[in-house]
Amino acid sequence: MYPSELTGTYTLDPAHSRFGFVARHAMVTKVRGSIPVQEATAHLDAGNPAASTVRVVLDVAGIQTGNQIRDDHLRTGDFLDAAAHPRITFDSTVVKHLDGDGFEVTGDLTIRGVTRQIAIPLDYTGTAVDAQGLTRVGFEGGTVINRKDFGITYNAVLETGGVMISERITLEFDLSAVKTA
């Protein structure tokens, strides 16, 4: 059971949220990026946690890493194939309150038309009423996926050994949602 004050329906505030990722490049540094939210809603029900749901849709064409050439390459068939698969989706199957501020959202992540179940640990960071009188909640967390599990296999072998891009991708979430009901 989670705190009753969280019960309600929420819409993600994309201006104050981030769906990010981190990949190792040349096995010596990290490349960070983000993918903009197209749609994100949640319904949390403290009285009946099984009725809680989360849905997130990300816009692959909007991927940003701070390097236009890399961003354009990530949109191609070598990686996310934005033309054929313009969205990344996540639909929860279970929302659990672990303890204190800890939650776990398990669900189906679909990238490039491939769906895998993942579990995302999240920490509840608080509730506030903003200057417009809207109730906001915050969560942050992350998880690690293997990009090959989603059919993203492009890579290059380095002269010194190893590969250009890590298989393990860290997903990072900083979320602010507005209560709508």
Side-chain angles (χ1 to χ4, degrees), residues 48-132:
N48 181 13
S52 297
T53 60
V54 176
R55 173 156 175 77
V56 177
V57 179
L58 303 178
D59 178 15
V60 174
I63 194 167
Q64 295 179 1
T65 65
N67 180 292
Q68 189 63 49
I69 293 169
R70 179 175 46 231
D71 296 348
D72 290 343
H73 192 197
L74 289 172
R75 291 180 189 104
T76 72
D78 285 345
F79 291 97
L80 295 173
D81 196 3
H85 304 283
R87 292 178 298 283
I88 293 173
T89 62
F90 177 82
D91 290 293
S92 68
T93 54
V94 177
V95 178
K96 288 195 286 189
H97 178 232
L98 302 176
D99 58 36
D101 293 334
F103 288 80
E104 183 178 76
V105 179
T106 300
D108 296 327
L109 176 65
T110 302
I111 302 174
R112 284 183 55 121
V114 177
T115 302
R116 298 280 185 257
Q117 188 169 81
I118 66 168
I120 304 169
L122 294 170
D123 290 324
Y124 168 60
T125 57
T127 300
V129 176
D130 67 16
Q132 289 77 38

Side-chain angles (χ1 to χ4, degrees), residues 143-160:
T143 193
V144 176
I145 62 170
N146 186 319
R147 64 187 178 88
K148 286 186 172 184
D149 291 344
F150 296 91
I152 304 170
T153 59
Y154 176 86
N155 221 332
V157 176
L158 301 174
E159 246 180 63
T160 56

